[in-house]
Amino acid sequence: MVDPVRDNVPAPVSIKRNIAANYVGQGVASLLSLALVPVYIRYLGIEAYSLVGLFAVIQAWMALLDAGMAPTLGREMARFTAGTVTVQAIRDLLRSIETLYLGMAALVALSLTWAADFLARHWLNIDRLPVEVVIGALSMLGVVVALRFCEGIYRSALMGLQQQVWINTMMVIVAVSRSLGALGVLAMVSPTVQAFFAWQGLISVLSLGAMMVRLHRSLPRAPRPARFSLASLATVRRFAGGVFGITILSMMLMQIDKLLLSRLIGLTDFGYYMLAATIAGGLWLVGAPVVLAVAPVLVRLTEAGDETQLSVTYHKASQLVAVLLAPASLIMMVFPFGVLFAWSGDAALAARAAAILAMISAGIFMNGLWQVPMQLQLAAGWTGLTLRIQLVALVVMVVGLFWAVPIWGPIAAAALWTLINSFFLIIGMPLVHRRLLPGALRRWWLRDVLPPLVGAVVAVALAWLVRPAPDAGRWLWLGFIMLTGSVAIAASLAMADTLRGRVLEIAGATTARFRGG
């Protein structure tokens, strides 16, 4: 066991503060990216903006090159905070992963730059943009993708050290700089896609440097300088391999329906499916900040062998995810037309995509409930269960798509998505608790999940009785959705015994301070 005093192991920090910071960081970045898309299109034109979309696609697929290293480094940093990894070991591992990451990033940047001419002339179907402009943009895109790829290991490591307030403050600064700065460049310097990527590259260099400095200064000095070590990488290869497998299967499960649907149905129906999937995807942001905040804490408690506090933290996090996710999911399941109409203002579009949105939202709700139990598995270094369930789910999804979609259309794909996510709760949950928290499954269902769900169901059911007519105005629907969401969250929280008591304590203390002041 490492001596925390001797090795200057960082002290644990507030989970509540980390959760709040994660919501702010992700919320600002998401809102800015959504709000400024129409503005970017106005300055760049839709064809040039498509290169920005290509950048997002390439960046998403860069996760495959990660090979599980960033999540593994985050877990090892969390183990370091628990005092079970030495300073020398964590610095050697960091240097080893840094070396691999920087090498891969350089290779990616060079490859995309080298391939820019071929992609511009023989792959992309260019309409009006000059070929030279596209070649230059693709070359710059490769550099930005490589820089953003490198940011991943430092972000994950800092999250593992529980410096989530700092990293989210940095994310807000970077998001504002990337978005509003790019807008300023397009408006006042040059309304070109090259200028857009040049600005993105500059901000990426600065943010990467800031995170690198912060991480290295956050770790104590080691007895000797850090060095690349195959032995260090070997100690984490099994866990990294498991995480890599989970990442690949997760990406395939998330994308296989869209890939096959593009072949099995017409483009119009496919467009409605993609719209519904995009809107439902907002549910991922509801529980993710909680999961990110609790993950390193679960690792630290697992390594410390503190089963009592591990159980307390696990159940609180599970209940909080249920309280937040149940109202949002139910609104999309029960009022899908209203959500789509309030967002788009197009009643015909909302009617066509509503059933798909409702079904996909149900699947994401079940997947969201699985996230805290999955983090418990990763904290224990157990990746096999999720891998096996994902593999079965992928086979069912592919076979089901080819069989059901030609008969029932895109709604069948949404139903299959819900079905495969039920596997995690029906099959996975008993196995997780049997191995890692024996006897806790009953409490997870009867205290953590069902009471908040029942509270939200009652609130949404009452709202159904007074819902606006389908032809009511867009803004009326928006107000109704927001009011129903607020009431559903309050009802869900009122049914959550653990969180309700804490909220009442905070409210009482706040009221007492106000009266005293």
Side-chain angles (χ1 to χ4, degrees):
M1 178 70 68
V2 177
D3 183 351
V5 176
R6 183 194 70 207
D7 283 331
N8 300 312
V9 173
V13 297
S14 169
I15 299 179
K16 295 187 290 293
R17 186 169 59 181
N18 284 345
I19 291 173
N22 290 337
Y23 273 110
V24 172
Q26 293 196 8
V28 169
S30 299
L31 288 174
L32 281 174
S33 63
L34 287 173
L36 291 179
V37 166
V39 184
Y40 291 155
I41 293 175
R42 187 169 71 244
Y43 278 106
L44 295 172
I46 190 63
E47 189 176 14
Y49 183 76
S50 68
L51 296 175
V52 180
L54 179 63
F55 163 68
V57 171
I58 294 174
Q59 188 178 342
W61 282 97
M62 288 290 289
L64 296 180
L65 286 182
D66 173 75
M69 288 187 289
T72 299
L73 182 60
R75 178 175 182 265
E76 292 303 302
M77 290 289 176
R79 293 183 67 222
F80 170 66
T81 67
T84 55
V85 177
T86 65
V87 173
Q88 190 65 65
I90 200 65
R91 279 197 170 274
D92 283 348
L93 180 62
L94 174 60
R95 176 57 54 82
S96 302
I97 292 179
E98 276 181 322
T99 302
L100 291 177
Y101 246 78
L102 294 173
M104 286 191 294
L107 183 61
V108 166
L110 291 172
S111 298
L112 287 175
T113 300
W114 175 77
D117 186 86
F118 170 81
L119 293 174
R121 297 182 188 277
H122 305 290
W123 186 267
L124 299 175
N125 296 312
I126 302 172
D127 291 326
R128 294 180 297 275
L129 282 177
V131 173
E132 292 74 18
V133 170
V134 177
I135 293 173
L138 290 174
S139 299
M140 299 172 72
L141 179 153
V143 174
V144 178
V145 164
L147 291 169
R148 297 281 287 270
F149 175 66
C150 290
E151 289 178 19
I153 55 168
Y154 297 107
R155 187 182 302 111
S156 183
L158 289 166
M159 296 286 277
L161 290 176
Q162 299 191 55
Q163 296 198 21
Q164 298 184 24
V165 173
W166 187 91
I167 196 67
N168 279 285
T169 301
M170 185 70 186
M171 284 177 63
V172 169
I173 295 171
V174 169
V176 171
S177 300
R178 279 179 175 148
S179 302
L180 299 184
L183 178 60
V185 168
L186 295 176
M188 295 183 289
V189 180
S190 174
T192 63
V193 71
Q194 300 102 309
F196 177 87
F197 282 124
W199 179 257
Q200 299 300 317
L202 174 61
I203 297 302
S204 292
V205 168
L206 295 176
S207 62
L208 179 61
M211 285 189 283
M212 184 184 299
V213 170
R214 176 73 179 192
L215 176 58
H216 282 278
R217 288 184 176 178
S218 298
L219 295 174
R221 287 184 177 275
R224 59 167 173 75
R227 64 191 180 197
F228 180 84
S229 170
L230 290 175
S232 293
L233 295 173
T235 62
V236 298
R237 70 180 186 279
R238 183 170 182 177
F239 179 79
V243 172
F244 181 48
I246 289 173
T247 301
I248 292 178
L249 290 174
S250 294
M251 288 187 65
M252 294 181 70
L253 284 171
M254 292 288 291
Q255 301 299 329
I256 195 66
D257 56 337
K258 304 170 185 64
L259 178 64
L260 294 181
L261 279 177
S262 66
R263 175 66 180 84
L264 294 172
I265 61 177
L267 283 180
T268 300
D269 286 339
F270 182 66
Y272 289 123
Y273 187 89
M274 288 301 299
L275 172 67
T278 300
I279 299 301
L283 293 173
W284 295 114
L285 300 177
V286 175
V290 178
V291 176
L292 289 173
V294 79
V297 180
L298 294 176
V299 173
R300 178 171 57 81
L301 294 173
T302 299
E303 292 296 315
D306 190 345
E307 295 184 5
T308 300
Q309 191 57 41
L310 177 67
S311 177
V312 170
T313 302
Y314 170 78
H315 286 294
K316 281 184 178 179
S318 296
Q319 191 172 91
L320 180 56
V321 168
V323 165
L324 296 171
L325 194 56
S329 302
L330 282 169
I331 285 175
M332 289 196 182
M333 285 186 270
V334 178
F335 305 111
F337 172 86
V339 171
L340 288 164
F341 184 46
W343 176 77
S344 68
D346 188 330
L349 179 150
R352 290 289 299 272
I356 300 172
L357 174 61
M359 192 65 70
I360 294 177
S361 298
I364 294 179
F365 172 64
M366 288 185 279
N367 192 284
L369 294 178
W370 171 254
Q371 294 307 306
V372 174
M374 189 176 77
Q375 291 302 323
L376 180 65
Q377 297 169 62
L378 297 181
W382 183 27
T383 58
L385 175 60
T386 297
L387 278 171
R388 292 182 179 91
I389 296 176
Q390 285 181 326
L391 187 58
V392 172
L394 183 62
V395 172
V396 172
M397 188 72 174
V398 171
V399 173
L401 285 170
F402 279 111
W403 170 69
V405 170
I407 301 174
W408 291 288
I411 190 64
L416 281 167
W417 167 250
T418 300
L419 174 65
I420 65 171
N421 278 289
S422 70
F423 293 173
F424 295 103
L425 300 185
I426 296 172
I427 301 172
M429 291 305 301
L431 298 175
V432 170
H433 290 93
R434 182 184 304 167
R435 176 165 173 172
L436 300 178
L437 283 177
L441 178 60
R442 181 182 177 86
R443 176 180 173 182
W444 188 85
W445 277 113
L446 297 183
R447 291 184 60 181
D448 299 341
V449 174
L450 289 181
L453 179 58
V454 168
V457 166
V458 171
V460 172
L462 292 175
W464 171 263
L465 299 177
V466 295
R467 68 193 183 279
D471 58 352
R474 174 186 184 183
W475 302 113
L476 179 60
W477 267 109
L478 178 61
F480 173 77
I481 293 296
M482 294 178 66
L483 178 60
T484 301
S486 300
V487 173
I489 290 176
S492 184
L493 181 60
M495 295 292 289
D497 57 351
T498 303
L499 298 179
R500 180 183 64 235
R502 181 57 180 159
V503 170
L504 292 175
E505 288 178 11
I506 294 173
T510 303
T511 303
R513 284 198 299 270
F514 178 77
R515 289 176 177 174

